[in-house]
Amino acid sequence: MTPYEGILIVGMAAITFAIRYTLFAAGHRVRFSPWVTQALNYVPVAVLTAIVAPAMLMPDGEHLNLAVDNAYLIGGAVAIVLAARWHNLMVTIIGAMLCFFVWRWWLG
């Protein structure tokens, strides 16, 4: 690691800490409108979607793969169906992982 990378990492950590600490320290004085509070409820879903969708659709990181031999896509689709049907986190995780590994095994 070069010295510039270390400075960059420390700088990013300091900025992240400062933003979070400021809101934490002034949290009892800061009140958001109901609209902003409702919008903030969707942040985790949006962030997870932004992380997971590219891994499902482009497992090699470069090319879109919508074929049935893409175990990531099949496992993700199964996870969506299980989550929509049962609303149970453990069922979704176990079922999607099982489907993913069986699909990879089946395709060789």
Side-chain angles (χ1 to χ4, degrees):
M1 177 169 18
T2 67
Y4 296 113
E5 291 172 336
I7 293 170
L8 183 63
I9 291 171
V10 169
M12 289 186 302
I15 290 170
T16 302
F17 175 78
I19 291 170
R20 292 183 182 185
Y21 182 74
T22 302
L23 287 175
F24 177 73
H28 62 280
R29 287 179 258 147
V30 176
R31 298 285 180 239
F32 294 117
S33 70
W35 183 81
V36 172
T37 303
Q38 184 180 7
L40 288 174
N41 287 331
Y42 295 103
V43 169
V45 175
V47 170
L48 286 174
T49 302
I51 293 170
V52 172
M56 277 177 42
L57 301 175
M58 298 185 304
D60 64 355
E62 295 180 11
H63 303 97
L64 187 65
N65 184 359
L66 300 177
V68 294
D69 66 342
N70 182 355
Y72 296 96
L73 180 63
I74 301 301
V78 167
I80 292 168
V81 169
L82 292 174
R85 171 64 179 94
W86 280 280
H87 303 281
N88 186 318
L89 184 62
M90 289 307 293
V91 168
T92 302
I93 292 172
I94 292 170
M97 292 297 292
L98 182 64
C99 175
F100 171 78
F101 286 119
V102 167
W103 203 264
R104 283 186 67 164
W105 172 77
W106 184 56
L107 293 175

